[in-house]
Amino acid sequence: MRTFIIKANTTVTSPDFSLKDLPGTGGRIDLLCRFLNSAFLLSHGIRKDVRVFMTLYGKPNPPKTVHFEGPRLKVRLNPDERSTALILKRALKAGKDLRDPLKELEVFPGVYVSNMTFEDVIRRVMKDSSLYYLVEDGKPITEVRFPQNPAFILGDHIGLSKDDERFLEGIVEKVRVGRKSYLASHVVAFVNIWLDGIGHRNEKG
Amino acid sequence: MRTFIIKANTTVTSPDFSLKDLPGTGGRIDLLCRFLNSAFLLSHGIRKDVRVFMTLYGKPNPPKTVHFEGPRLKVRLNPDERSTALILKRALKAGKDLRDPLKELEVFPGVYVSNMTFEDVIRRVMKDSSLYYLVEDGKPITEVRFPQNPAFILGDHIGLSKDDERFLEGIVEKVRVGRKSYLASHVVAFVNIWLDGIGHRNEKG
């Protein structure tokens, strides 16, 4: 199982955003739509061995965590942003009156909403996965041998805070792709393809 | 300069598509929005050394070619699909009454529309670039040494036809990423990051 975790600093935590202006009214919820696209979609089908946690810290009720669980996923994930935004809208609507700090509400088969914090998500995922933090000063991904259940943590357009990074210290390995600063969805696309294996080197790995 | 070329078999060649339903009314024009996103966007900025040719073969006036030229690009390219679709809508509107088979009309600085065919685009690009066809039975990208001006040809969700492939025979090298069949935008994101250089192997390359 591959896990992708993103902290979305500005993404709204209410369903009252407009499908006509996802970046503005949704606090960059368009970014999360492309993140899900990169994590799950293949040319003709879906990756069943992937799960995604997105922790939303925008107004008005942060935090909210939306979690997609590949092996249980039944809702149709289309490539376009708008249809994915509709799924997120439904999840945020269902999660509006949630009080419990950790309990997940299943909105569609395989899609959950909760009040989990970024730290709650990390604590949960590290129980069954090895954590990697994708960041510019990490080790080149080509030099890392990944275990069976890698979990990748990414920042959004703002990135993780100093506090977040302090929390991750000692429990993550820092990894990078490329030599520049990339959009989260591009990094996820790269990581997925890289882990599928490419050259002869990976065939033997 | 890196060039990305895509043949969009079903994308509409008129501006009369709805921003509320890009996949349906636009004949998968959402795919081209993400293609441009992957080709040009970095986390905070744009790649100036990239150009993109998209040849559209959908109804009602095929073919239309929309061409984005990085070094001259002045129009703001945002990450979300809707705002990019608006640029394409304007380009298709401007190109509606074009008669000349090869002449490009500049719609915005660095954005052009024309009646060029897929073959016209290939003939033009091969004058200054080395052609690579990204396809599942290609050579692993990790084993290819790329020259200064590589141009990558991709299919959409339908792919290139037998005739297209016959036309490309002998003038392209086949290359692949990963072991599966990927969305075009994911492949472009991968190729861009890979060509930026990743590990020590590439540093010396």
Side-chain angles (χ1 to χ4, degrees), chain A residues 19-20 23 28 30 34 37-38 41-44 47 79-82 140-143 157 176-183 186-187 189-190 193-194 196-200 203, chain B residues 19-20 23 28 30 34 37-38 41-44 47 79-82 140-143 157 176-183 186-187 189-190 193-194 196-200 203:
Chain A
L19 294 171
K20 287 187 186 173
R28 298 302 315 278
D30 60 307
R34 291 189 300 278
N37 171 307
S38 290
L41 296 185
L42 290 166
S43 185
H44 301 282
R47 293 181 184 271
D80 69 299
E81 286 170 17
R82 197 175 192 275
I141 195 170
T142 47
E143 296 175 11
H157 57 298
R176 73 170 164 87
V177 304
R179 299 187 173 288
K180 305 184 185 201
S181 181
Y182 301 103
L183 296 183
H186 297 184
V187 174
F190 187 95
I193 295 176
W194 181 257
D196 290 340
I198 294 189
H200 293 313
E203 273 166 48
Chain B
L19 294 170
K20 287 188 185 172
R28 298 304 313 279
D30 60 307
R34 291 189 300 279
N37 170 307
S38 291
L41 296 186
L42 290 166
S43 185
H44 301 282
R47 293 180 185 271
D80 68 299
E81 286 169 18
R82 198 176 191 275
I141 194 171
T142 47
E143 297 175 11
H157 57 298
R176 73 170 164 87
V177 305
R179 299 188 174 285
K180 305 185 185 199
S181 182
Y182 301 103
L183 297 182
H186 297 183
V187 174
F190 187 95
I193 295 176
W194 181 256
D196 290 339
I198 293 189
H200 294 311
E203 273 165 46

Side-chain angles (χ1 to χ4, degrees), chain A:
Chain A
M1 177 80 96
R2 297 175 195 169
T3 305
F4 296 100
I5 301 165
I6 187 165
K7 187 180 181 195
N9 290 287
T10 61
T11 303
V12 294
T13 45
S14 121
D16 307 324
F17 58 87
S18 164
L19 294 171
K20 287 187 186 173
D21 179 13
L22 299 176
T25 63
R28 298 302 315 278
I29 204 164
D30 60 307
L31 191 156
L32 299 187
C33 297
R34 291 189 300 278
F35 192 80
L36 286 165
N37 171 307
S38 290
F40 282 110
L41 296 185
L42 290 166
S43 185
H44 301 282
I46 198 164
R47 293 181 184 271
K48 279 287 178 193
D49 61 336
V50 164
R51 64 180 171 174
V52 165
F53 290 88
M54 304 178 292
T55 63
L56 283 54
Y57 276 83
K59 290 176 183 172
N61 297 310
K64 292 285 177 201
T65 288
V66 184
H67 161 198
F68 281 63
E69 186 75 18
R72 287 180 50 79
L73 204 60
K74 285 275 166 24
V75 64
R76 190 176 165 82
L77 208 54
N78 287 311
D80 69 299
E81 286 170 17
R82 197 175 192 275
S83 67
T84 305
L86 266 170
I87 299 174
L88 296 178
K89 200 184 246 294
R90 293 269 198 96
L92 289 173
K93 194 170 179 187
K96 222 172 168 180
D97 299 318
L98 265 180
R99 290 290 162 263
D100 193 295
L102 291 176
K103 193 175 172 236
E104 289 195 302
L105 185 72
E106 189 162 18
V107 185
F108 300 104
V111 180
Y112 309 82
V113 65
S114 70
N115 294 328
M116 280 198 286
T117 64
F118 176 71
E119 291 81 358
D120 290 333
V121 170
I122 300 294
R123 278 191 208 100
R124 169 164 163 183
V125 170
M126 68 188 289
K127 283 181 193 161
D128 59 21
S129 301
S130 309
L131 298 178
Y132 296 88
Y133 173 26
L134 281 157
V135 65
E136 285 159 63
D137 65 351
K139 188 173 174 181
I141 195 170
T142 47
E143 296 175 11
V144 178
R145 278 184 82 93
F146 291 97
Q148 199 148 28
N149 296 314
F152 299 91
I153 303 158
L154 294 92
D156 62 1
H157 57 298
I158 293 171
L160 297 190
S161 68
K162 291 270 169 250
D163 279 351
D164 295 330
E165 294 197 330
R166 222 167 286 134
F167 173 74
L168 294 180
E169 230 175 85
I171 59 174
V172 299
E173 183 172 351
K174 286 183 177 184
V175 180
R176 73 170 164 87
V177 304
R179 299 187 173 288
K180 305 184 185 201
S181 181
Y182 301 103
L183 296 183
S185 56
H186 297 184
V187 174
V188 170
F190 187 95
V191 169
N192 257 335
I193 295 176
W194 181 257
L195 290 186
D196 290 340
I198 294 189
H200 293 313
R201 208 165 55 141
N202 282 50
E203 273 166 48
K204 289 165 197 152

Side-chain angles (χ1 to χ4, degrees), chain B residues 38-39 65 76 82 118 130 135 151 166 175 178 197:
Chain B
S38 291
T65 288
R76 190 176 164 80
R82 198 176 191 275
F118 176 71
S130 308
V135 65
R166 223 167 285 134
V175 180

